[in-house]
Amino acid sequence: MSSRTHRVAILVHDGVKLLDVAGPAEVFGEANLLGADYRITLVSTTGADVTSSIGMRIAVDGSAAEEPDPDTFLMPGGDVHPRTPVTRDLAEAAGDLAGRAGRIASVCSGAFVLGATGLLDGKRATTHWKIAGELVARHPKAHVEPDAIYVRDGSTYTSAGVTAGIDLALALVEEDHGPDVSREVARSLVVYLQRAGGQSQFSAPLQGPPPRSPALRSVVDLVTADPGGNYSLAELAGRLNVSTRHLTRLFREELGTTPARYVESIRFDIAKSLLDQGYTATRAASMAGFPSYESLRRVFARELAISPAAYQRRFATARREQAE
């Protein structure tokens, strides 16, 4: 293990999410107990203390401009972004620290601050699944990966929401000191060293905006009411009284997918909800309209990179239904 001091500068601001700051800091602090030497400093744009998203005051060590060149610059997020634009002083402070840092990292909506400096242009990045679309809209030059837990592009790292900052910090510790140290830190903090799957597994069903077209909205109603029904292209077109060509065009233009894949996505969301309620994977597959458990397993593997059983162990409620 390298004994060199590694300076970590965390730029906090009013409305910052406390766990975005404390989660990574705890990872670095735990690594210090194993022989690392991370020196964590909290800085703000002016050097004044800030107030977190839960109203807790955070004392800072100084201003961003006064901070010595950091080895790692970490930009935490908060609910303030993307609801409001990134202020000029915050963007300038982030740009200054990033320009002097060996590597750059953000947690959750901290990616919007990095984006405001131009640091994400031409780079792969991620953020919380709920606001990934907004990151794409604001920073179209960034290559946003909405399902990733964290993304590395060169010396720039971005992570998904809140606890994903812990995943990111563990990856940074592994980069600095190897897998044995990061594994021991994860064990000490009782967290996964490397979570399987992407952040889609944490999102609620059918969170996207409803289709604009009445015909496509009807598809959601039809499949939700009777997931096991016949929803071939011809059958859907007949029920909606439109041609198959017109229906296919609607799906392509409005949703960017095919009718079959969209029906499958609704069934997939239904199956996830049933697993959350405690139904067995086989029963959930049947109730959600999948022809077999194996077909459900293939969709889970494609969409979440985990099995239905692994998903259920992580997210099922205590309530269990008896399989019929």
Side-chain angles (χ1 to χ4, degrees):
M1 178 181 293
S2 170
S3 59
R4 185 181 70 85
T5 298
H6 186 114
R7 301 188 65 88
V8 179
I10 304 177
L11 178 58
V12 295
H13 52 87
D14 284 332
V16 70
K17 192 170 286 293
L18 192 60
L19 191 53
D20 285 9
V21 179
E26 285 289 352
V27 170
F28 296 130
E30 198 69 30
N32 285 346
L33 299 179
L34 299 171
D37 187 11
Y38 290 104
R39 300 289 177 86
I40 303 166
T41 55
L42 303 183
V43 298
S44 64
T45 58
T46 64
D49 295 347
V50 301
T51 303
S52 75
S53 59
I54 60 173
M56 185 177 293
R57 187 171 182 174
I58 300 176
V60 306
D61 300 297
S63 70
E66 296 168 343
E67 175 67 11
D69 295 352
D71 296 287
T72 295
F73 160 49
L74 179 66
M75 187 66 237
D79 295 334
V80 64
H81 303 127
R83 288 190 292 107
T84 60
V86 176
T87 60
R88 176 179 294 182
D89 61 339
L90 183 58
E92 289 178 348
D96 171 56
L97 286 168
R100 297 188 283 116
R103 66 187 176 196
I104 306 157
S106 68
V107 181
C108 195
S109 65
F112 284 83
V113 181
L114 297 189
T117 70
L119 287 167
L120 300 184
D121 289 355
K123 293 185 177 180
R124 297 166 52 242
T126 194
T127 188
H128 194 290
W129 59 268
K130 282 186 176 180
I131 55 177
E134 181 63 23
L135 186 63
V136 172
R138 290 201 190 182
H139 305 291
K141 293 182 180 179
H143 306 297
V144 179
E145 299 182 9
D147 194 39
I149 298 294
Y150 67 87
V151 169
R152 175 186 179 181
D153 191 323
S155 60
T156 301
Y157 300 71
T158 51
S159 69
V162 197
T163 58
I166 295 175
D167 298 84
L168 172 59
L170 286 169
L172 297 178
V173 169
E174 180 171 350
E175 181 180 291
D176 296 336
H177 301 293
D180 291 342
V181 174
S182 61
R183 185 181 302 111
E184 286 304 310
V185 171
R187 290 178 61 189
S188 180
L189 296 179
V190 197
V191 296
Y192 285 101
L193 177 61
Q194 219 172 24
R195 281 190 276 185
Q199 56 176 318
S200 301
Q201 61 191 293
F202 302 93
S203 62
L206 300 174
Q207 280 294 307
R212 298 186 304 273
S213 156
L216 298 190
R217 288 199 297 271
S218 296
V219 173
V220 178
D221 296 337
L222 286 170
V223 181
T224 303
D226 181 19
N230 175 17
Y231 301 112
S232 66
L233 177 59
E235 180 68 20
L236 281 175
R239 291 198 189 194
L240 301 175
N241 197 29
V242 297
S243 70
T244 56
R245 177 178 296 180
H246 178 66
L247 186 60
T248 299
R249 187 176 69 253
L250 281 176
F251 271 97
R252 183 178 64 251
E253 293 178 351
E254 186 169 337
L255 299 175
T257 189
T258 65
R261 181 56 65 88
Y262 191 65
V263 169
E264 183 183 73
S265 71
I266 298 173
R267 286 171 169 163
F268 172 63
D269 283 336
I270 293 171
K272 283 203 301 180
S273 178
L274 291 167
L275 290 170
D276 289 343
Q277 296 173 51
Y279 287 91
T280 66
T282 300
R283 181 63 175 147
S286 174
M287 293 173 67
F290 286 93
S292 65
Y293 164 76
E294 181 59 27
S295 61
L296 176 63
R297 188 195 66 77
R298 285 195 297 268
V299 175
F300 262 78
R302 185 186 71 228
E303 298 295 332
L304 302 182
I306 58 175
S307 69
Y311 172 87
Q312 187 174 56
R313 283 195 298 270
R314 202 166 295 171
F315 296 102
T317 64
R319 182 168 65 84
R320 300 295 178 190
E321 297 288 341
Q322 293 294 326
E324 296 181 1

